Amino acid sequence: MKSEAELEADANIKEPPIVRNGCVYNRNKKTKREELLKDLLVVEIPCILSDDEIICKQCDGDMKQIAFNKIRDELEYVPAKVRIIRYM
């Protein structure tokens, strides 16, 4: 559901440029980062809990993993190579 501000907004109006220290910057679209990273190698590193961390604190029962969720992405620079490190 859209808010009142979203309903009233005119999509044809451009955002004003950002001025810092006398220099004018135009705001980049958010999709530019995704476009730049789309062809990079992705290395996924599963983060596994230790035996002490998989015990439920409420019932002392064993917990089990049901899914991997993306925690964060990091860019790693290797000379002449860039890849995405994805923690799950």
Side-chain angles (χ1 to χ4, degrees), residues 69-83:
N69 295 325
K70 182 173 85 169
I71 304 296
R72 70 174 185 261
D73 283 341
E74 295 178 352
L75 286 180
E76 176 182 51
Y77 174 74
V78 179
K81 197 185 325 182
V82 177
R83 64 184 180 176

Side-chain angles (χ1 to χ4, degrees), residues 5 15 18 20 23 38 42-43 60 63 68 74 81:
E15 282 192 45
I18 300 168
R20 290 189 185 135
C23 296
K38 70 178 177 151
V42 176
V43 177
D60 290 329
M63 295 188 290
F68 277 110
E74 295 178 352
K81 197 185 325 182

Side-chain angles (χ1 to χ4, degrees), residues 51 54-56 59-64:
D51 292 339
I54 61 170
I55 296 174
C56 178
C59 70
D60 290 329
D62 288 339
M63 295 188 290
K64 58 183 173 180

Side-chain angles (χ1 to χ4, degrees), residues 45-51 53-54 65 67-68 87-88:
I45 300 175
C47 299
I48 307 298
L49 298 175
S50 68
D51 292 339
E53 295 173 311
I54 61 170
Q65 180 177 331
F68 277 110
Y87 292 89
M88 304 291 281

